[in-house]
Every structure is written in C-alpha cells, then in structure tokens.
Amino acid sequence: REQVQLSLQKTLTELEHWQQCRNKLSGLATQYKELKATKHTAQNKQQEFLQAQQQFEQSNQTYLLAEQMFWQSQAGILAQKLQAGQPCPVCGSKEHPASAVCLDSVLTKEQLDEQKQKVEQLRAEMSKKATEAGQMDTLLQTQRQHYLQQALQILADCGCEAVVQEENEVLLQTLVECSGQVNATLEQLK
C-alpha cells in the first residue's frame, strides 16, 4: 500500500511537471508570435526610413541645383551692369574678358528659401524615421535574445534538446517535437 502511494505521488508529480512544460511551451509559442510581429514592424520602420531618405536626397539634389543656378544668375545680373574700364563691384578688376551669363528660368530668392525649408522638413522627417527604425531594431534584438534564453531554458527543463540556428533562434521544429513529447507523456500518465 505504501509503495502504491509513493508510485501514485511520483506519477502525480510527473503529471504536474509535464503540464507545466506544456503551459510553458504554449507561452513560448505566444512569445514567438509577438517576436514575429515585432520583426514585421521593424522591417516596416526600416522601409519608411529608406523612403524618407530617398525623398530627402531627391529634394536636396533639386535644391542644390536650383541654388547653384540662382547664384549663377546673380553673377549674370551683375555682369550685365559691367562697363569696360570700370571696376567690377565684386572683384575690382577693370577688365571683363569672360562675364557671367544671366540665366532665364531661375527661382526667386523667396522660392529658393521655400525649397530650402522643404528640404529641412524632409531632413527632420528622415531623422525621425531613422530614430524610430533604430528603436524598433533595438527592441527586436532585445525580444529575440529574451525569447532565445527562455526557449533554451524551457526546452532544457522539459528534457528536449534545443537546436539553434545561426541567427540564434530556436528552430520551430524543435519546439513542435518537444510539445509532441510533452503531450505524449501527459497522455501516458493520465
């Protein structure tokens, strides 16, 4: 009778252990889904940053070209007023062998300033997106490391061998196999 009670107690303890393993594996599956969701969000944030960067670079390139044309036009306006033998208001030379040419379709100073303001807004937006992408990547790395540590501990506690990929993620197959082993053991104990 005493031996039966000990055997029953041992079986109940094992049953409780395997039920805990099943609950832990279920929680790990939930964490894995959260990790995948965070990875997806991090990828989206990275894509948003790349789009903002592209918009900034295009707008900045357009602005720099417009600015260069504006200053060339300003030089052309000054050159139109030059007279032979009279000093240049910029350099003081009395000879003007290669005067600048005035360009026709050039932005006004106000238009150029508006374009510069737009470029600065795009730069700020790009910086914001870079920060957001960096924060999401940090969160992803933290969650991934936490998940890995918990997964390895749970698999070890449940007597399953963990197989780890190069990216330090526990293979889903190992979790499925371990879950199957836990469920089979639970059925035997019942």
Side-chain angles (χ1 to χ4, degrees):
R1 180 176 168 111
E2 200 173 299
Q3 194 173 17
V4 171
Q5 281 184 327
L6 287 173
S7 179
L8 181 61
Q9 184 61 37
K10 181 180 176 188
T11 303
L12 289 174
T13 302
E14 274 188 66
L15 181 63
E16 186 179 322
H17 168 74
W18 291 112
Q19 286 173 335
Q20 287 176 354
C21 283
R22 182 171 53 188
N23 291 341
K24 287 178 182 179
L25 286 168
S26 177
L28 196 58
T30 301
Q31 276 188 335
Y32 184 75
K33 289 177 186 175
E34 290 170 2
L35 180 64
K36 283 178 66 174
T38 300
K39 183 177 182 180
H40 181 73
T41 302
Q43 289 170 335
N44 286 343
K45 291 293 183 183
Q46 180 65 22
Q47 189 62 36
E48 288 175 12
F49 161 70
L50 292 174
Q51 289 172 349
Q53 182 181 35
Q54 184 179 18
Q55 285 179 322
F56 163 75
E57 288 174 356
Q58 288 173 348
S59 184
N60 191 50
Q61 206 54 12
T62 301
Y63 167 73
L64 292 174
L65 182 62
E67 182 183 44
Q68 181 181 14
M69 290 176 63
F70 174 81
W71 292 117
Q72 285 176 352
S73 179
Q74 294 300 305
I77 290 170
L78 285 173
Q80 288 176 344
K81 296 178 182 177
L82 291 176
Q83 295 179 3
Q86 295 296 316
C88 171
V90 177
C91 67
S93 175
K94 292 184 179 186
E95 295 179 20
H96 318 292
S99 296
V101 178
C102 189
L103 302 175
D104 291 332
S105 59
V106 177
L107 297 178
T108 65
K109 178 70 171 138
E110 291 77 23
Q111 291 170 323
L112 190 64
D113 288 343
E114 286 174 19
Q115 200 170 22
K116 184 177 183 177
Q117 186 176 18
K118 179 184 174 190
V119 167
E120 290 307 315
Q121 288 172 345
L122 289 172
R123 181 189 316 270
E125 183 67 18
M126 178 185 69
S127 178
K128 177 183 168 194
K129 296 291 183 187
T131 299
E132 289 173 357
Q135 289 171 340
M136 279 307 299
D137 188 56
T138 299
L139 177 62
L140 175 62
Q141 297 308 320
T142 301
Q143 281 184 352
R144 182 179 285 152
Q145 189 62 31
H146 181 72
Y147 169 79
L148 176 63
Q149 289 171 350
Q150 279 199 311
L152 292 173
Q153 184 62 52
I154 290 169
L155 290 173
D157 290 348
C158 294
C160 300
E161 289 186 35
V163 179
V164 180
Q165 287 180 317
E166 289 177 16
E167 296 106 30
N168 290 337
E169 288 188 29
V170 176
L171 285 173
L172 196 52
Q173 185 62 33
T174 303
L175 292 171
V176 169
E177 289 171 8
C178 187
S179 185
Q181 290 171 7
V182 168
N183 287 331
T185 303
L186 281 169
E187 287 302 316
Q188 287 176 354
L189 292 173
K190 287 182 180 179

